[in-house]
mmCIF file with all atom_site columns, all heavy atoms in Angstrom:
data_model
loop_
_atom_site.group_PDB
_atom_site.id
_atom_site.type_symbol
_atom_site.label_atom_id
_atom_site.label_alt_id
_atom_site.label_comp_id
_atom_site.label_asym_id
_atom_site.label_entity_id
_atom_site.label_seq_id
_atom_site.pdbx_PDB_ins_code
_atom_site.Cartn_x
_atom_site.Cartn_y
_atom_site.Cartn_z
_atom_site.occupancy
_atom_site.B_iso_or_equiv
_atom_site.pdbx_formal_charge
_atom_site.auth_seq_id
_atom_site.auth_comp_id
_atom_site.auth_asym_id
_atom_site.auth_atom_id
_atom_site.pdbx_PDB_model_num
ATOM 1   N N   . GLN H 1 1  ? 0.802  -1.170 -0.032 1.00 96.00 ? 1  GLN H N   1
ATOM 2   C CA  . GLN H 1 1  ? 0.019  0.010  0.032  1.00 96.00 ? 1  GLN H CA  1
ATOM 3   C C   . GLN H 1 1  ? 0.880  1.257  0.015  1.00 96.00 ? 1  GLN H C   1
ATOM 4   O O   . GLN H 1 1  ? 0.413  2.308  -0.520 1.00 96.00 ? 1  GLN H O   1
ATOM 5   C CB  . GLN H 1 1  ? -0.933 -0.039 1.183  1.00 96.00 ? 1  GLN H CB  1
ATOM 6   C CG  . GLN H 1 1  ? -2.012 -1.068 1.171  1.00 96.00 ? 1  GLN H CG  1
ATOM 7   C CD  . GLN H 1 1  ? -3.107 -0.797 2.124  1.00 96.00 ? 1  GLN H CD  1
ATOM 8   O OE1 . GLN H 1 1  ? -3.417 0.359  2.547  1.00 96.00 ? 1  GLN H OE1 1
ATOM 9   N NE2 . GLN H 1 1  ? -3.828 -1.834 2.564  1.00 96.00 ? 1  GLN H NE2 1
ATOM 10  N N   . MET H 1 2  ? 2.017  1.204  0.607  1.00 97.00 ? 2  MET H N   1
ATOM 11  C CA  . MET H 1 2  ? 2.965  2.267  0.640  1.00 97.00 ? 2  MET H CA  1
ATOM 12  C C   . MET H 1 2  ? 2.342  3.654  1.073  1.00 97.00 ? 2  MET H C   1
ATOM 13  O O   . MET H 1 2  ? 2.393  4.681  0.356  1.00 97.00 ? 2  MET H O   1
ATOM 14  C CB  . MET H 1 2  ? 3.678  2.480  -0.712 1.00 97.00 ? 2  MET H CB  1
ATOM 15  C CG  . MET H 1 2  ? 4.921  3.350  -0.724 1.00 97.00 ? 2  MET H CG  1
ATOM 16  S SD  . MET H 1 2  ? 6.278  2.666  0.205  1.00 97.00 ? 2  MET H SD  1
ATOM 17  C CE  . MET H 1 2  ? 6.741  1.239  -0.827 1.00 97.00 ? 2  MET H CE  1
ATOM 18  N N   . PRO H 1 3  ? 1.683  3.699  2.213  1.00 97.00 ? 3  PRO H N   1
ATOM 19  C CA  . PRO H 1 3  ? 1.090  4.951  2.691  1.00 97.00 ? 3  PRO H CA  1
ATOM 20  C C   . PRO H 1 3  ? 2.147  5.925  3.163  1.00 97.00 ? 3  PRO H C   1
ATOM 21  O O   . PRO H 1 3  ? 1.894  7.141  3.310  1.00 97.00 ? 3  PRO H O   1
ATOM 22  C CB  . PRO H 1 3  ? 0.167  4.533  3.817  1.00 97.00 ? 3  PRO H CB  1
ATOM 23  C CG  . PRO H 1 3  ? 0.825  3.335  4.352  1.00 97.00 ? 3  PRO H CG  1
ATOM 24  C CD  . PRO H 1 3  ? 1.362  2.587  3.161  1.00 97.00 ? 3  PRO H CD  1
ATOM 25  N N   . MET H 1 4  ? 3.329  5.426  3.472  1.00 96.00 ? 4  MET H N   1
ATOM 26  C CA  . MET H 1 4  ? 4.452  6.240  3.852  1.00 96.00 ? 4  MET H CA  1
ATOM 27  C C   . MET H 1 4  ? 5.719  5.732  3.286  1.00 96.00 ? 4  MET H C   1
ATOM 28  O O   . MET H 1 4  ? 5.819  4.479  3.051  1.00 96.00 ? 4  MET H O   1
ATOM 29  C CB  . MET H 1 4  ? 4.591  6.377  5.337  1.00 96.00 ? 4  MET H CB  1
ATOM 30  C CG  . MET H 1 4  ? 4.814  5.094  6.114  1.00 96.00 ? 4  MET H CG  1
ATOM 31  S SD  . MET H 1 4  ? 3.318  4.254  6.680  1.00 96.00 ? 4  MET H SD  1
ATOM 32  C CE  . MET H 1 4  ? 2.976  5.248  8.131  1.00 96.00 ? 4  MET H CE  1
ATOM 33  N N   . ALA H 1 5  ? 6.681  6.585  3.026  1.00 97.00 ? 5  ALA H N   1
ATOM 34  C CA  . ALA H 1 5  ? 8.030  6.193  2.551  1.00 97.00 ? 5  ALA H CA  1
ATOM 35  C C   . ALA H 1 5  ? 8.876  6.178  3.772  1.00 97.00 ? 5  ALA H C   1
ATOM 36  O O   . ALA H 1 5  ? 9.236  7.210  4.319  1.00 97.00 ? 5  ALA H O   1
ATOM 37  C CB  . ALA H 1 5  ? 8.508  7.113  1.478  1.00 97.00 ? 5  ALA H CB  1
ATOM 38  N N   . PHE H 1 6  ? 9.204  4.980  4.263  1.00 97.00 ? 6  PHE H N   1
ATOM 39  C CA  . PHE H 1 6  ? 10.179 4.913  5.389  1.00 97.00 ? 6  PHE H CA  1
ATOM 40  C C   . PHE H 1 6  ? 11.580 5.315  4.902  1.00 97.00 ? 6  PHE H C   1
ATOM 41  O O   . PHE H 1 6  ? 11.968 4.930  3.805  1.00 97.00 ? 6  PHE H O   1
ATOM 42  C CB  . PHE H 1 6  ? 10.192 3.486  5.966  1.00 97.00 ? 6  PHE H CB  1
ATOM 43  C CG  . PHE H 1 6  ? 8.873  3.117  6.617  1.00 97.00 ? 6  PHE H CG  1
ATOM 44  C CD1 . PHE H 1 6  ? 7.837  2.534  5.905  1.00 97.00 ? 6  PHE H CD1 1
ATOM 45  C CD2 . PHE H 1 6  ? 8.702  3.403  7.983  1.00 97.00 ? 6  PHE H CD2 1
ATOM 46  C CE1 . PHE H 1 6  ? 6.681  2.194  6.556  1.00 97.00 ? 6  PHE H CE1 1
ATOM 47  C CE2 . PHE H 1 6  ? 7.498  3.071  8.592  1.00 97.00 ? 6  PHE H CE2 1
ATOM 48  C CZ  . PHE H 1 6  ? 6.495  2.470  7.868  1.00 97.00 ? 6  PHE H CZ  1
ATOM 49  N N   . LEU H 1 7  ? 12.292 6.080  5.739  1.00 97.00 ? 7  LEU H N   1
ATOM 50  C CA  . LEU H 1 7  ? 13.514 6.676  5.287  1.00 97.00 ? 7  LEU H CA  1
ATOM 51  C C   . LEU H 1 7  ? 14.756 6.052  5.955  1.00 97.00 ? 7  LEU H C   1
ATOM 52  O O   . LEU H 1 7  ? 15.606 5.518  5.301  1.00 97.00 ? 7  LEU H O   1
ATOM 53  C CB  . LEU H 1 7  ? 13.479 8.155  5.533  1.00 97.00 ? 7  LEU H CB  1
ATOM 54  C CG  . LEU H 1 7  ? 12.323 8.901  4.833  1.00 97.00 ? 7  LEU H CG  1
ATOM 55  C CD1 . LEU H 1 7  ? 12.275 10.339 5.224  1.00 97.00 ? 7  LEU H CD1 1
ATOM 56  C CD2 . LEU H 1 7  ? 12.417 8.748  3.296  1.00 97.00 ? 7  LEU H CD2 1
ATOM 57  N N   . TYR H 1 8  ? 14.796 6.212  7.297  1.00 96.00 ? 8  TYR H N   1
ATOM 58  C CA  . TYR H 1 8  ? 16.055 5.696  7.977  1.00 96.00 ? 8  TYR H CA  1
ATOM 59  C C   . TYR H 1 8  ? 15.759 5.519  9.451  1.00 96.00 ? 8  TYR H C   1
ATOM 60  O O   . TYR H 1 8  ? 14.814 6.004  10.026 1.00 96.00 ? 8  TYR H O   1
ATOM 61  C CB  . TYR H 1 8  ? 17.193 6.699  7.794  1.00 96.00 ? 8  TYR H CB  1
ATOM 62  C CG  . TYR H 1 8  ? 16.856 8.166  8.196  1.00 96.00 ? 8  TYR H CG  1
ATOM 63  C CD1 . TYR H 1 8  ? 16.993 8.530  9.567  1.00 96.00 ? 8  TYR H CD1 1
ATOM 64  C CD2 . TYR H 1 8  ? 16.374 9.101  7.324  1.00 96.00 ? 8  TYR H CD2 1
ATOM 65  C CE1 . TYR H 1 8  ? 16.672 9.815  9.950  1.00 96.00 ? 8  TYR H CE1 1
ATOM 66  C CE2 . TYR H 1 8  ? 16.074 10.377 7.661  1.00 96.00 ? 8  TYR H CE2 1
ATOM 67  C CZ  . TYR H 1 8  ? 16.226 10.754 9.018  1.00 96.00 ? 8  TYR H CZ  1
ATOM 68  O OH  . TYR H 1 8  ? 15.927 12.038 9.429  1.00 96.00 ? 8  TYR H OH  1
ATOM 69  N N   . PHE H 1 9  ? 16.600 4.633  10.036 1.00 94.00 ? 9  PHE H N   1
ATOM 70  C CA  . PHE H 1 9  ? 16.656 4.441  11.488 1.00 94.00 ? 9  PHE H CA  1
ATOM 71  C C   . PHE H 1 9  ? 17.782 5.235  11.995 1.00 94.00 ? 9  PHE H C   1
ATOM 72  O O   . PHE H 1 9  ? 18.875 5.278  11.440 1.00 94.00 ? 9  PHE H O   1
ATOM 73  C CB  . PHE H 1 9  ? 16.842 2.967  11.809 1.00 94.00 ? 9  PHE H CB  1
ATOM 74  C CG  . PHE H 1 9  ? 15.689 2.077  11.381 1.00 94.00 ? 9  PHE H CG  1
ATOM 75  C CD1 . PHE H 1 9  ? 15.736 1.454  10.201 1.00 94.00 ? 9  PHE H CD1 1
ATOM 76  C CD2 . PHE H 1 9  ? 14.623 1.947  12.171 1.00 94.00 ? 9  PHE H CD2 1
ATOM 77  C CE1 . PHE H 1 9  ? 14.699 0.621  9.755  1.00 94.00 ? 9  PHE H CE1 1
ATOM 78  C CE2 . PHE H 1 9  ? 13.486 1.154  11.764 1.00 94.00 ? 9  PHE H CE2 1
ATOM 79  C CZ  . PHE H 1 9  ? 13.589 0.495  10.544 1.00 94.00 ? 9  PHE H CZ  1
ATOM 80  N N   . THR H 1 10 ? 17.601 5.918  13.122 1.00 87.00 ? 10 THR H N   1
ATOM 81  C CA  . THR H 1 10 ? 18.627 6.781  13.644 1.00 87.00 ? 10 THR H CA  1
ATOM 82  C C   . THR H 1 10 ? 19.389 6.113  14.766 1.00 87.00 ? 10 THR H C   1
ATOM 83  O O   . THR H 1 10 ? 18.892 5.207  15.480 1.00 87.00 ? 10 THR H O   1
ATOM 84  C CB  . THR H 1 10 ? 17.974 8.057  14.275 1.00 87.00 ? 10 THR H CB  1
ATOM 85  O OG1 . THR H 1 10 ? 17.014 7.691  15.331 1.00 87.00 ? 10 THR H OG1 1
ATOM 86  C CG2 . THR H 1 10 ? 17.236 8.857  13.218 1.00 87.00 ? 10 THR H CG2 1
ATOM 87  N N   . ASN H 1 11 ? 20.647 6.549  14.937 1.00 88.00 ? 11 ASN H N   1
ATOM 88  C CA  . ASN H 1 11 ? 21.378 6.279  16.098 1.00 88.00 ? 11 ASN H CA  1
ATOM 89  C C   . ASN H 1 11 ? 21.121 7.419  17.116 1.00 88.00 ? 11 ASN H C   1
ATOM 90  O O   . ASN H 1 11 ? 20.909 8.524  16.683 1.00 88.00 ? 11 ASN H O   1
ATOM 91  C CB  . ASN H 1 11 ? 22.890 6.207  15.850 1.00 88.00 ? 11 ASN H CB  1
ATOM 92  C CG  . ASN H 1 11 ? 23.277 4.891  15.144 1.00 88.00 ? 11 ASN H CG  1
ATOM 93  O OD1 . ASN H 1 11 ? 22.417 4.166  14.718 1.00 88.00 ? 11 ASN H OD1 1
ATOM 94  N ND2 . ASN H 1 11 ? 24.558 4.660  15.006 1.00 88.00 ? 11 ASN H ND2 1
ATOM 95  N N   . ASP H 1 12 ? 21.104 7.067  18.399 1.00 84.00 ? 12 ASP H N   1
ATOM 96  C CA  . ASP H 1 12 ? 20.959 8.115  19.386 1.00 84.00 ? 12 ASP H CA  1
ATOM 97  C C   . ASP H 1 12 ? 22.364 8.705  19.626 1.00 84.00 ? 12 ASP H C   1
ATOM 98  O O   . ASP H 1 12 ? 23.211 8.048  20.168 1.00 84.00 ? 12 ASP H O   1
ATOM 99  C CB  . ASP H 1 12 ? 20.414 7.472  20.624 1.00 84.00 ? 12 ASP H CB  1
ATOM 100 C CG  . ASP H 1 12 ? 20.231 8.517  21.763 1.00 84.00 ? 12 ASP H CG  1
ATOM 101 O OD1 . ASP H 1 12 ? 20.171 9.713  21.438 1.00 84.00 ? 12 ASP H OD1 1
ATOM 102 O OD2 . ASP H 1 12 ? 20.177 8.087  22.951 1.00 84.00 ? 12 ASP H OD2 1
ATOM 103 N N   . LEU H 1 13 ? 22.540 9.927  19.148 1.00 86.00 ? 13 LEU H N   1
ATOM 104 C CA  . LEU H 1 13 ? 23.825 10.642 19.360 1.00 86.00 ? 13 LEU H CA  1
ATOM 105 C C   . LEU H 1 13 ? 23.741 11.385 20.669 1.00 86.00 ? 13 LEU H C   1
ATOM 106 O O   . LEU H 1 13 ? 23.548 12.630 20.733 1.00 86.00 ? 13 LEU H O   1
ATOM 107 C CB  . LEU H 1 13 ? 24.123 11.577 18.206 1.00 86.00 ? 13 LEU H CB  1
ATOM 108 C CG  . LEU H 1 13 ? 24.198 10.842 16.811 1.00 86.00 ? 13 LEU H CG  1
ATOM 109 C CD1 . LEU H 1 13 ? 24.623 11.873 15.703 1.00 86.00 ? 13 LEU H CD1 1
ATOM 110 C CD2 . LEU H 1 13 ? 25.134 9.672  16.857 1.00 86.00 ? 13 LEU H CD2 1
ATOM 111 N N   . PHE H 1 14 ? 23.879 10.663 21.750 1.00 87.00 ? 14 PHE H N   1
ATOM 112 C CA  . PHE H 1 14 ? 23.593 11.199 23.083 1.00 87.00 ? 14 PHE H CA  1
ATOM 113 C C   . PHE H 1 14 ? 24.900 11.814 23.590 1.00 87.00 ? 14 PHE H C   1
ATOM 114 O O   . PHE H 1 14 ? 26.022 11.381 23.329 1.00 87.00 ? 14 PHE H O   1
ATOM 115 C CB  . PHE H 1 14 ? 23.133 10.029 23.968 1.00 87.00 ? 14 PHE H CB  1
ATOM 116 C CG  . PHE H 1 14 ? 22.857 10.489 25.374 1.00 87.00 ? 14 PHE H CG  1
ATOM 117 C CD1 . PHE H 1 14 ? 21.909 11.466 25.582 1.00 87.00 ? 14 PHE H CD1 1
ATOM 118 C CD2 . PHE H 1 14 ? 23.447 9.853  26.482 1.00 87.00 ? 14 PHE H CD2 1
ATOM 119 C CE1 . PHE H 1 14 ? 21.591 11.831 26.909 1.00 87.00 ? 14 PHE H CE1 1
ATOM 120 C CE2 . PHE H 1 14 ? 23.102 10.214 27.774 1.00 87.00 ? 14 PHE H CE2 1
ATOM 121 C CZ  . PHE H 1 14 ? 22.200 11.220 27.976 1.00 87.00 ? 14 PHE H CZ  1
ATOM 122 N N   . GLY H 1 15 ? 24.710 12.886 24.353 1.00 91.00 ? 15 GLY H N   1
ATOM 123 C CA  . GLY H 1 15 ? 25.840 13.556 24.952 1.00 91.00 ? 15 GLY H CA  1
ATOM 124 C C   . GLY H 1 15 ? 25.555 14.053 26.352 1.00 91.00 ? 15 GLY H C   1
ATOM 125 O O   . GLY H 1 15 ? 24.460 14.352 26.673 1.00 91.00 ? 15 GLY H O   1
ATOM 126 N N   . TYR H 1 16 ? 26.579 13.989 27.231 1.00 94.00 ? 16 TYR H N   1
ATOM 127 C CA  . TYR H 1 16 ? 26.398 14.488 28.559 1.00 94.00 ? 16 TYR H CA  1
ATOM 128 C C   . TYR H 1 16 ? 27.755 14.891 29.168 1.00 94.00 ? 16 TYR H C   1
ATOM 129 O O   . TYR H 1 16 ? 28.808 14.461 28.663 1.00 94.00 ? 16 TYR H O   1
ATOM 130 C CB  . TYR H 1 16 ? 25.695 13.464 29.485 1.00 94.00 ? 16 TYR H CB  1
ATOM 131 C CG  . TYR H 1 16 ? 26.426 12.104 29.650 1.00 94.00 ? 16 TYR H CG  1
ATOM 132 C CD1 . TYR H 1 16 ? 27.355 11.896 30.724 1.00 94.00 ? 16 TYR H CD1 1
ATOM 133 C CD2 . TYR H 1 16 ? 26.230 11.059 28.709 1.00 94.00 ? 16 TYR H CD2 1
ATOM 134 C CE1 . TYR H 1 16 ? 27.987 10.703 30.831 1.00 94.00 ? 16 TYR H CE1 1
ATOM 135 C CE2 . TYR H 1 16 ? 26.906 9.863  28.883 1.00 94.00 ? 16 TYR H CE2 1
ATOM 136 C CZ  . TYR H 1 16 ? 27.805 9.690  29.923 1.00 94.00 ? 16 TYR H CZ  1
ATOM 137 O OH  . TYR H 1 16 ? 28.444 8.507  30.071 1.00 94.00 ? 16 TYR H OH  1
ATOM 138 N N   . SER H 1 17 ? 27.665 15.718 30.190 1.00 95.00 ? 17 SER H N   1
ATOM 139 C CA  . SER H 1 17 ? 28.870 16.176 30.796 1.00 95.00 ? 17 SER H CA  1
ATOM 140 C C   . SER H 1 17 ? 29.483 14.999 31.701 1.00 95.00 ? 17 SER H C   1
ATOM 141 O O   . SER H 1 17 ? 28.693 14.297 32.298 1.00 95.00 ? 17 SER H O   1
ATOM 142 C CB  . SER H 1 17 ? 28.568 17.342 31.735 1.00 95.00 ? 17 SER H CB  1
ATOM 143 O OG  . SER H 1 17 ? 29.627 17.605 32.610 1.00 95.00 ? 17 SER H OG  1
ATOM 144 N N   . GLU H 1 18 ? 30.754 14.900 31.670 1.00 94.00 ? 18 GLU H N   1
ATOM 145 C CA  . GLU H 1 18 ? 31.432 13.859 32.450 1.00 94.00 ? 18 GLU H CA  1
ATOM 146 C C   . GLU H 1 18 ? 31.412 14.154 33.940 1.00 94.00 ? 18 GLU H C   1
ATOM 147 O O   . GLU H 1 18 ? 31.875 13.353 34.730 1.00 94.00 ? 18 GLU H O   1
ATOM 148 C CB  . GLU H 1 18 ? 32.869 13.605 31.937 1.00 94.00 ? 18 GLU H CB  1
ATOM 149 C CG  . GLU H 1 18 ? 32.848 12.978 30.560 1.00 94.00 ? 18 GLU H CG  1
ATOM 150 C CD  . GLU H 1 18 ? 34.250 12.653 30.062 1.00 94.00 ? 18 GLU H CD  1
ATOM 151 O OE1 . GLU H 1 18 ? 35.215 13.189 30.607 1.00 94.00 ? 18 GLU H OE1 1
ATOM 152 O OE2 . GLU H 1 18 ? 34.359 11.840 29.118 1.00 94.00 ? 18 GLU H OE2 1
ATOM 153 N N   . LYS H 1 19 ? 30.787 15.321 34.302 1.00 94.00 ? 19 LYS H N   1
ATOM 154 C CA  . LYS H 1 19 ? 30.543 15.472 35.726 1.00 94.00 ? 19 LYS H CA  1
ATOM 155 C C   . LYS H 1 19 ? 29.442 14.607 36.239 1.00 94.00 ? 19 LYS H C   1
ATOM 156 O O   . LYS H 1 19 ? 29.278 14.440 37.460 1.00 94.00 ? 19 LYS H O   1
ATOM 157 C CB  . LYS H 1 19 ? 30.212 16.952 36.018 1.00 94.00 ? 19 LYS H CB  1
ATOM 158 C CG  . LYS H 1 19 ? 28.767 17.330 35.815 1.00 94.00 ? 19 LYS H CG  1
ATOM 159 C CD  . LYS H 1 19 ? 28.536 18.750 36.313 1.00 94.00 ? 19 LYS H CD  1
ATOM 160 C CE  . LYS H 1 19 ? 27.005 19.100 36.355 1.00 94.00 ? 19 LYS H CE  1
ATOM 161 N NZ  . LYS H 1 19 ? 26.712 20.396 36.860 1.00 94.00 ? 19 LYS H NZ  1
ATOM 162 N N   . LEU H 1 20 ? 28.655 14.017 35.269 1.00 95.00 ? 20 LEU H N   1
ATOM 163 C CA  . LEU H 1 20 ? 27.607 13.061 35.634 1.00 95.00 ? 20 LEU H CA  1
ATOM 164 C C   . LEU H 1 20 ? 28.128 11.639 35.516 1.00 95.00 ? 20 LEU H C   1
ATOM 165 O O   . LEU H 1 20 ? 28.825 11.284 34.527 1.00 95.00 ? 20 LEU H O   1
ATOM 166 C CB  . LEU H 1 20 ? 26.431 13.212 34.682 1.00 95.00 ? 20 LEU H CB  1
ATOM 167 C CG  . LEU H 1 20 ? 25.718 14.560 34.649 1.00 95.00 ? 20 LEU H CG  1
ATOM 168 C CD1 . LEU H 1 20 ? 24.567 14.525 33.641 1.00 95.00 ? 20 LEU H CD1 1
ATOM 169 C CD2 . LEU H 1 20 ? 25.217 14.969 36.021 1.00 95.00 ? 20 LEU H CD2 1
ATOM 170 N N   . GLU H 1 21 ? 27.758 10.825 36.493 1.00 94.00 ? 21 GLU H N   1
ATOM 171 C CA  . GLU H 1 21 ? 28.020 9.421  36.443 1.00 94.00 ? 21 GLU H CA  1
ATOM 172 C C   . GLU H 1 21 ? 26.776 8.569  36.515 1.00 94.00 ? 21 GLU H C   1
ATOM 173 O O   . GLU H 1 21 ? 25.718 9.111  36.880 1.00 94.00 ? 21 GLU H O   1
ATOM 174 C CB  . GLU H 1 21 ? 28.950 9.017  37.659 1.00 94.00 ? 21 GLU H CB  1
ATOM 175 C CG  . GLU H 1 21 ? 30.351 9.728  37.697 1.00 94.00 ? 21 GLU H CG  1
ATOM 176 C CD  . GLU H 1 21 ? 31.105 9.389  38.938 1.00 94.00 ? 21 GLU H CD  1
ATOM 177 O OE1 . GLU H 1 21 ? 30.789 8.369  39.671 1.00 94.00 ? 21 GLU H OE1 1
ATOM 178 O OE2 . GLU H 1 21 ? 32.085 10.100 39.245 1.00 94.00 ? 21 GLU H OE2 1
ATOM 179 N N   . ASN H 1 22 ? 26.896 7.309  36.134 1.00 92.00 ? 22 ASN H N   1
ATOM 180 C CA  . ASN H 1 22 ? 25.741 6.400  36.205 1.00 92.00 ? 22 ASN H CA  1
ATOM 181 C C   . ASN H 1 22 ? 24.664 6.769  35.166 1.00 92.00 ? 22 ASN H C   1
ATOM 182 O O   . ASN H 1 22 ? 23.475 6.471  35.414 1.00 92.00 ? 22 ASN H O   1
ATOM 183 C CB  . ASN H 1 22 ? 25.148 6.257  37.548 1.00 92.00 ? 22 ASN H CB  1
ATOM 184 C CG  . ASN H 1 22 ? 26.172 5.816  38.600 1.00 92.00 ? 22 ASN H CG  1
ATOM 185 O OD1 . ASN H 1 22 ? 27.068 5.049  38.289 1.00 92.00 ? 22 ASN H OD1 1
ATOM 186 N ND2 . ASN H 1 22 ? 25.977 6.255  39.856 1.00 92.00 ? 22 ASN H ND2 1
ATOM 187 N N   . VAL H 1 23 ? 25.019 7.465  34.095 1.00 89.00 ? 23 VAL H N   1
ATOM 188 C CA  . VAL H 1 23 ? 24.007 7.838  33.132 1.00 89.00 ? 23 VAL H CA  1
ATOM 189 C C   . VAL H 1 23 ? 23.679 6.671  32.252 1.00 89.00 ? 23 VAL H C   1
ATOM 190 O O   . VAL H 1 23 ? 24.588 6.011  31.739 1.00 89.00 ? 23 VAL H O   1
ATOM 191 C CB  . VAL H 1 23 ? 24.462 9.037  32.245 1.00 89.00 ? 23 VAL H CB  1
ATOM 192 C CG1 . VAL H 1 23 ? 23.484 9.354  31.141 1.00 89.00 ? 23 VAL H CG1 1
ATOM 193 C CG2 . VAL H 1 23 ? 24.740 10.227 33.088 1.00 89.00 ? 23 VAL H CG2 1
ATOM 194 N N   . ARG H 1 24 ? 22.411 6.333  32.079 1.00 82.00 ? 24 ARG H N   1
ATOM 195 C CA  . ARG H 1 24 ? 22.014 5.182  31.314 1.00 82.00 ? 24 ARG H CA  1
ATOM 196 C C   . ARG H 1 24 ? 22.318 5.479  29.786 1.00 82.00 ? 24 ARG H C   1
ATOM 197 O O   . ARG H 1 24 ? 21.757 6.426  29.253 1.00 82.00 ? 24 ARG H O   1
ATOM 198 C CB  . ARG H 1 24 ? 20.521 4.915  31.487 1.00 82.00 ? 24 ARG H CB  1
ATOM 199 C CG  . ARG H 1 24 ? 19.976 3.699  30.693 1.00 82.00 ? 24 ARG H CG  1
ATOM 200 C CD  . ARG H 1 24 ? 18.462 3.677  30.787 1.00 82.00 ? 24 ARG H CD  1
ATOM 201 N NE  . ARG H 1 24 ? 17.998 3.378  32.085 1.00 82.00 ? 24 ARG H NE  1
ATOM 202 C CZ  . ARG H 1 24 ? 17.674 2.130  32.479 1.00 82.00 ? 24 ARG H CZ  1
ATOM 203 N NH1 . ARG H 1 24 ? 17.784 1.126  31.641 1.00 82.00 ? 24 ARG H NH1 1
ATOM 204 N NH2 . ARG H 1 24 ? 17.223 1.898  33.731 1.00 82.00 ? 24 ARG H NH2 1
#
């Protein structure tokens, strides 16, 4: 049926300060 054109799956380009620990 192609009601949508699927394009891409993303990677999570996550960032955080190294002052934080135990970040999931």
